[in-house]
Amino acid sequence: MALLQAARYYLLKGDLEKAKSFGLNRAIFYAWAKRSGKPVFQRKRTAGASAPSIPSRAREIEALGNENAYVND
């Protein structure tokens, strides 16, 4: 699966090193998503509660087709 995702990224973007990182990242994500069918717990939000904030030092996000993925440098 990682090889398939890496080949997909390489054909669309042309960067081999980022393609390897993207392929491994996507394969790990899909394996995790497949194993965790339901969330282990759900938080109850009260009316007016805001969504959790994103940390200020987030990694770069790459858009590929209709998916977004984190990019490791």
Side-chain angles (χ1 to χ4, degrees):
M1 183 58 125
L3 184 59
L4 177 67
Q5 294 296 329
R8 177 177 150 223
Y9 186 93
Y10 181 72
L11 288 176
L12 292 174
K13 299 287 184 170
D15 186 7
L16 183 59
E17 290 302 314
K18 284 191 176 182
K20 291 176 185 178
S21 173
F22 179 83
L24 185 59
N25 189 5
R26 288 282 93 185
I28 291 170
F29 170 75
Y30 287 136
W32 171 83
K34 184 178 179 181
R35 290 202 66 179
S36 63
K38 291 190 277 186
V40 177
F41 65 93
Q42 293 179 346
R43 291 186 192 171
K44 293 182 180 180
R45 294 191 180 179
T46 60
S50 64
S53 64
I54 299 173
S56 61
R57 53 186 177 140
R59 293 185 286 178
E60 182 182 338
I61 296 178
E62 176 89 24
L64 184 64
N66 62 351
E67 294 182 13
N68 293 328
Y70 290 106
V71 176
N72 296 333
D73 292 326

